Amino acid sequence: MSRTRGLLPGLAVLALATAVRLPGLAGLSLETDELGTIWDATRLAGPSVNGPGILARPVYYVLQHLLLSLGPASPLALRIPALVFGLVGVWATWWVGTRLFGGAAGTVAALLVALSPWHQYASQFARYWTLVYLLAVLGYYLLIRTRIDPRPRTLVLTALVLALGALTHPTFVLPMVGAVLALHILPPATPGDAWRLRLPTADAWRWLWIPLVVAVGGWIVGLKLTGNAGALGNFRGRGLAATIGAVLGMVQWVTPEVLAAGALGAALLVWRGVDGDERRWGLMALGGLASGGVLIVASGIRNDVYADYGMAMLPLVYLTAGALVGRMVRMPSPASPAIAGIAVVTLLVAELPGLASNWRDGMRFDYRPAFAYVEAHGAQRLVLGPSQAMQRHYAPTLQFQELGGTTESLAGALVRTGGYWLIISRHRNGWSGGDEDMRSWADANCRVMSRSGAARFDYRQYDVDLAWCGSGAP
């Protein structure tokens, strides 16, 4: 009975996470990347339709391939793996937080994940990101365990989890670099002791680091030798401004309040941890967040970088924020429970605007209303839009052309056709995928016929305008 009672907080948070993630799971519009998942997971080879393919990230696609072999690729079938990995990730956060920092810390950390707009979105998105999160939670925990329980089976299990994470998505490695380096810095046992560098033991080399490097490094070398090195990258980079924007998007997605709590908790554990394990976790969290952030920005020089790429850093944020609240609960003051409660409410309330906004529009552009309007009011006319994959899936009979990146492409289409439909994706900062000249031309030569997209409570916006460009009516 006592064991069951001990599981109740985790089960309650898991039920909440399920309730948060189920609405819209089957009804949300598929994104272009989700359509790419169908293509890549079905074929498991050959060129990808919208990116580097599966060879540098095979784990999730193999699992998705097995599922798709059982039935049609409906939105629900596509998103079931992401949902399951997401829910297991919530449970793993509670379990790890409870074991490392106590029940209060584990419950708070799991609550932050359960109500996270970022993790909620990933749990309804047919890609690998919730698996990255789950493997990162387990990976960080097992790295700590290798210092407490350095038996071969612990080391082998750690190597397996880290290898699976690296082969789920390359960005898994970025925060792990700093976390692993920090793991080998020995914190002082008492305030008067010095920090020391502790190299891996012979068993750690034999059972963990050498097998991990051979497995992952061998896979990378194999890609290069077979002419598939391009699978390790992601296009050619969008520039420093876009990369910085992606990093700021990560901050907005996790919320500044939760990120600040994670960073503060890490610093507190490093300098005021009650034992070596707490200090080691704090140092590992700081190292992982630092290396993850720096390497993501650096990778933007040669790769397109998106906010999703910070997913492997999230467990460090949530677990360390939970540890901070756990320390507040244990403060020797009658007011400590009230202070901890205020902190928890503040962190959870910070997540609610994004969570509620995701319920309204799924945090994605939905082109279905625009396609339906065209089919009802002028299906014979040319449509210019951002994604041919979306058109082929939702409106395959339309005459469609992907939107070019210049004003000349808009004007040239008008000369050729005498009038056409234009689908515009609008973020809060304006037209997504079009520069200022294109926007000015469209404003002067096109008129909006329909607009879809729900108002949000956070900083994001996902409106889709359907405009008619040219004189007269379609």
Side-chain angles (χ1 to χ4, degrees), residues 91-161:
W91 178 263
T93 303
W94 173 81
W95 186 81
V96 169
T98 299
R99 288 179 66 93
L100 290 179
F101 308 115
T107 301
V108 170
L111 271 173
L112 291 174
V113 183
L115 298 182
S116 163
W118 190 343
H119 197 271
Q120 177 217 13
Y121 166 75
S123 299
Q124 297 179 319
F125 183 44
R127 291 299 250 193
Y128 25 64
W129 296 115
T130 52
L131 179 57
V132 168
Y133 179 91
L134 171 60
L135 292 171
V137 172
L138 299 177
Y140 294 128
Y141 173 70
L142 287 170
L143 285 172
I144 290 290
R145 290 296 302 171
T146 60
R147 289 305 195 189
I148 303 170
D149 177 19
R151 289 177 295 176
R153 68 178 185 182
T154 304
L155 298 169
V156 170
L157 181 59
T158 305
L160 176 62
V161 169

Side-chain angles (χ1 to χ4, degrees), residues 209-225:
W209 300 117
I210 292 177
L212 179 63
V213 170
V214 168
V216 178
W219 188 273
I220 293 172
V221 170
L223 292 179
K224 291 182 176 293
L225 293 178

Side-chain angles (χ1 to χ4, degrees), residues 10-25 80 82-91 110-111 113-116 119-120 123-124 355 359:
L11 293 173
V13 175
L14 186 62
L16 175 63
T18 304
V20 164
R21 286 154 177 75
L22 285 180
L25 191 68
I80 283 295
L83 174 68
V84 172
F85 290 133
L87 294 177
V88 177
V90 173
W91 178 263
L111 271 173
V113 183
L115 298 182
S116 163
H119 197 271
Q120 177 217 13
S123 299
Q124 297 179 319
L355 189 71
W359 278 333

Side-chain angles (χ1 to χ4, degrees), residues 75-452:
L76 180 60
L78 279 174
R79 291 165 180 156
I80 283 295
L83 174 68
V84 172
F85 290 133
L87 294 177
V88 177
V90 173
W91 178 263
T93 303
W94 173 81
W95 186 81
V96 169
T98 299
R99 288 179 66 93
L100 290 179
F101 308 115
T107 301
V108 170
L111 271 173
L112 291 174
V113 183
L115 298 182
S116 163
W118 190 343
H119 197 271
Q120 177 217 13
Y121 166 75
S123 299
Q124 297 179 319
F125 183 44
R127 291 299 250 193
Y128 25 64
W129 296 115
T130 52
L131 179 57
V132 168
Y133 179 91
L134 171 60
L135 292 171
V137 172
L138 299 177
Y140 294 128
Y141 173 70
L142 287 170
L143 285 172
I144 290 290
R145 290 296 302 171
T146 60
R147 289 305 195 189
I148 303 170
D149 177 19
R151 289 177 295 176
R153 68 178 185 182
T154 304
L155 298 169
V156 170
L157 181 59
T158 305
L160 176 62
V161 169
L162 296 181
L164 288 174
L167 295 177
T168 297
H169 197 272
T171 56
F172 178 90
V173 176
L174 305 184
M176 286 295 169
V177 171
V180 169
L181 290 176
L183 182 72
H184 292 92
I185 298 175
L186 194 64
T190 63
D193 292 343
W195 294 82
R196 291 179 294 155
L197 179 65
R198 179 180 177 182
L199 296 177
T201 64
D203 276 351
W205 283 114
R206 183 181 302 115
W207 298 106
L208 169 55
W209 300 117
I210 292 177
L212 179 63
V213 170
V214 168
V216 178
W219 188 273
I220 293 172
V221 170
L223 292 179
K224 291 182 176 293
L225 293 178
T226 56
N228 292 296
L232 296 168
N234 186 34
F235 300 107
R236 297 183 179 180
R238 300 185 298 156
L240 181 60
T243 300
I244 297 299
V247 173
L248 294 177
M250 297 176 198
V251 175
Q252 187 270 328
W253 223 347
V254 74
T255 75
E257 295 85 352
V258 174
L259 180 60
L264 179 61
L268 178 66
L269 292 179
V270 169
W271 302 113
R272 292 290 185 267
V274 297
D275 53 32
D277 291 338
E278 282 198 353
R279 289 191 289 275
R280 186 176 291 113
W281 176 272
L283 191 64
M284 195 168 75
L286 290 177
L289 293 174
S291 73
V294 169
L295 292 176
I296 284 174
V297 172
S299 68
I301 297 173
R302 299 185 60 181
N303 296 276
D304 291 9
V305 170
Y306 299 95
D308 310 79
Y309 288 7
M311 179 62 78
M313 295 190 285
L314 285 188
L316 296 172
V317 175
Y318 293 131
L319 284 165
T320 314
L324 175 64
V325 175
R327 289 295 299 272
M328 291 179 178
V329 172
R330 299 197 301 269
M331 288 190 305
S333 167
S336 59
I339 295 173
I342 292 172
V344 172
V345 170
T346 300
L347 295 176
L348 296 180
V349 167
E351 294 185 320
L352 293 182
L355 189 71
S357 298
N358 287 354
W359 278 333
R360 289 177 65 86
D361 73 352
M363 206 167 74
R364 64 193 69 205
F365 293 111
D366 188 350
Y367 300 106
R368 292 174 296 181
F371 289 139
Y373 191 98
V374 171
E375 289 176 327
H377 296 89
Q380 76 282 4
R381 307 306 293 264
L382 175 68
V383 182
L384 265 61
S387 172
Q388 190 163 52
M390 298 291 288
Q391 175 264 326
R392 287 173 175 170
H393 185 78
Y394 284 116
T397 61
L398 295 181
Q399 180 188 355
F400 188 89
Q401 179 181 323
E402 282 205 357
L403 188 61
T406 64
T407 305
E408 288 73 19
S409 64
L410 298 177
L414 184 57
V415 172
R416 292 194 315 271
T417 64
Y420 60 86
W421 297 104
L422 177 63
I423 298 177
I424 301 170
S425 308
R426 291 192 185 273
H427 282 302
R428 181 176 293 275
N429 293 329
W431 187 353
S432 175
D435 60 22
E436 192 60 40
D437 289 341
M438 294 176 69
R439 297 169 194 166
S440 298
W441 187 94
D443 288 341
N445 295 275
C446 309
R447 62 184 186 275
V448 175
M449 307 297 288
S450 73
R451 173 171 292 169
S452 59

